[in-house]
Amino acid sequence: MNKTVLVSGGAGFIGSHVTVELIEAGYEVVVADNFSNCDRTCYEGVKKITGREDLPLEVMDFCDPEAVKALFGKYHIDAVIHFAAFKAVGESVEQPLKYYRNNLDSFLNVLEAAKEHGSFVLFSSSATVYGEPDSVPVTEATPRKPATSPYGNTKTICEDILRDSVKASGGRLKGILLRYFNPIGAHPSALIGELPRGVPNNLVPFITQTAIGKRECLSIFGNDYPTPDGTCLRDYIDIVDLAKAHVYAVNRMVDGRMKQACEVFNVGTGRPVSVLELVNAFEKVNGVKLNYKFAPRRAGDVTAIWADPSLAESEMGWKATRSVEQTLQAAWAWEKHLAGK
Ligand code: UFG
């Protein structure tokens, strides 16, 4: 019988791409989402891509412990991938309690149920836990730094909660932490992608919305950083590559190949790209001209961070395969699809 994976937040940007890859790898998937930060577009897109009209969908809030218990009672969950969380850095600074309440409560409920039912846990962590690193690229052993936002802090705290619970569980709980760098792009079908509400905070949605005419001008935050062209360096990872990393991690868990009860892997490309390089690559590969200007630095931005992704390759056999150009083409195709072009 196929193994079943529960994807919390499965109708969102990362969750929907992961659902597609899991189904294509032969897993049964249960999508659970409360649609607080997305509509049904990506869920419908996943059904189209995979041909799974019967894809189970549970509309529920992971902050409700009874609903989570009932969900784990209804399905036999071999592994749970937890995405359901708020993710706006700026909003988290203004409303920290909203972020701590939502992002911690939901994860605690998932962990309690997973422990009870012996389900593996995969947590969506972030490179934000490294803060402004002393040296780059960062490995999984690079010390974490204090988070620069409540959102970032919830990632650090959830990492610790998983580690502590695994340690105390006497083998009942096992989990993997994936630390994402900057996920961008969209599925090559252009049926699922990023759907920011309001003005996008992240670079690539802002670029595509500017190119399509929804935004007037892209501001590049800072051109006086100590980097080759003065703009920040990041590790932009294709969303499909990133989604596939989850399949490798779930395979490792359910096939009994974990070497420790709690493992951590960077999910990045190992390739630093500056904001200006990304903007230039977008213009070139898509043949569009972007209206942009240089603006002051954005508070809380780190100068440069990129991954050493070699552990994920040596341990799980996963590595990123898509070029920045391919990814930016997919991001543009998705924006045009949204605009009906
Ligand atoms: N940027 C611009 N203009 C924009 C948006 C972004 O110049 O309109 C720049 C930023 O200054 C940064 C780079 O583009 O140098 C990337 O910015 P993103 O907002 O796309 O991504 P971040 O690296 O800031 O964000 C990532 C994750 C978040 C996480 C954060 C921690 O996407 O989930 O790191 O700081 F919280």
Side-chain angles (χ1 to χ4, degrees):
M1 225 179 72
N2 293 348
K3 303 270 186 197
T4 300
V5 182
L6 167 65
V7 183
S8 84
F13 173 46
I14 302 181
S16 58
H17 287 82
V18 168
T19 299
V20 168
E21 296 307 317
L22 286 168
I23 292 171
E24 288 181 352
Y27 286 98
E28 293 300 321
V29 178
V30 177
V31 172
D33 211 297
N34 66 354
F35 294 100
S36 72
N37 196 30
C38 62
D39 61 21
R40 293 199 176 227
T41 307
C42 288
Y43 172 69
E44 294 302 329
V46 170
K47 291 202 292 188
K48 255 201 200 131
I49 294 167
T50 59
R52 287 291 305 269
E53 268 312 308
D54 58 346
L55 177 64
L57 169 68
E58 298 286 339
V59 181
M60 55 165 291
D61 186 346
F62 279 82
C63 288
D64 176 352
E66 295 309 318
V68 177
K69 270 186 209 154
L71 182 67
F72 276 76
K74 181 171 172 185
Y75 299 94
H76 176 86
I77 310 286
D78 294 287
V80 48
I81 305 183
H82 185 62
F83 293 115
F86 294 147
K87 60 173 185 181
V89 176
E91 186 187 52
S92 79
V93 175
E94 284 153 24
Q95 300 182 62
L97 292 177
K98 174 177 169 182
Y99 274 68
Y100 286 116
R101 170 71 74 197
N102 183 70
N103 294 7
L104 301 185
D105 265 2
S106 57
F107 192 47
L108 292 171
N109 290 335
V110 164
L111 284 179
E112 277 168 356
K115 187 179 151 208
E116 170 84 22
H117 292 270
S119 320
F120 293 100
V121 176
L122 196 165
F123 179 68
S124 54
S125 189
S126 164
T128 193
V129 302
Y130 297 117
E132 176 94 58
D134 295 331
S135 63
V136 275
V138 292
T139 72
E140 292 78 357
T142 297
R144 296 183 316 180
K145 292 264 185 84
T148 53
S149 72
Y151 158 78
N153 205 20
T154 65
K155 293 295 178 193
T156 306
I157 295 170
C158 285
E159 285 198 351
D160 291 344
I161 292 174
L162 180 63
R163 267 210 198 88
D164 290 346
S165 327
V166 162
K167 206 165 149 191
S169 75
R172 278 203 68 73
L173 195 63
K174 287 186 178 168
I176 291 183
L177 301 164
L178 294 183
R179 291 180 180 153
Y180 312 145
F181 283 68
N182 286 56
I184 62 165
H187 194 266
S189 65
L191 290 170
I192 56 175
E194 212 166 348
L195 268 176
R197 287 221 166 135
V199 183
N201 293 310
N202 295 114
L203 179 59
V204 169
F206 209 106
I207 289 177
T208 56
Q209 290 195 5
T210 306
I212 207 92
K214 263 172 113 172
R215 310 276 156 211
E216 226 166 80
C217 181
L218 166 77
S219 292
I220 294 183
F221 298 136
N223 62 346
D224 58 351
Y225 284 98
T227 59
D229 66 18
T231 66
C232 293
L233 295 171
R234 293 288 183 277
D235 185 333
Y236 296 96
I237 168 87
D238 184 272
I239 187 66
V240 176
D241 275 334
L242 177 118
K244 287 185 196 293
H246 295 72
V247 176
Y248 283 73
V250 171
N251 289 345
R252 180 178 176 88
M253 297 195 287
V254 300
D255 294 346
R257 284 187 277 113
M258 291 175 75
K259 291 186 181 160
Q260 290 163 37
C262 184
E263 297 183 324
V264 50
F265 297 103
N266 285 339
V267 182
T269 65
R271 171 190 65 201
V273 174
S274 77
V275 176
L276 205 49
E277 282 173 329
L278 199 82
V279 166
N280 291 336
F282 182 87
E283 291 187 319
K284 193 164 171 216
V285 74
N286 293 316
V288 292
K289 196 88 202 91
L290 261 184
N291 190 20
Y292 70 84
K293 63 170 191 228
F294 292 110
R297 292 181 180 195
R298 182 172 70 175
D301 275 343
V302 305
T303 304
I305 183 161
W306 66 93
D308 175 341
S310 55
L311 189 67
E313 184 173 4
S314 62
E315 282 297 314
M316 299 200 294
W318 172 87
K319 70 172 186 191
T321 60
R322 288 167 69 79
S323 66
V324 165
E325 286 74 19
Q326 285 174 307
T327 307
L328 292 173
Q329 275 175 326
W332 183 227
W334 165 245
E335 190 66 59
K336 284 192 292 186
H337 167 81
L338 287 176
K341 290 186 182 170

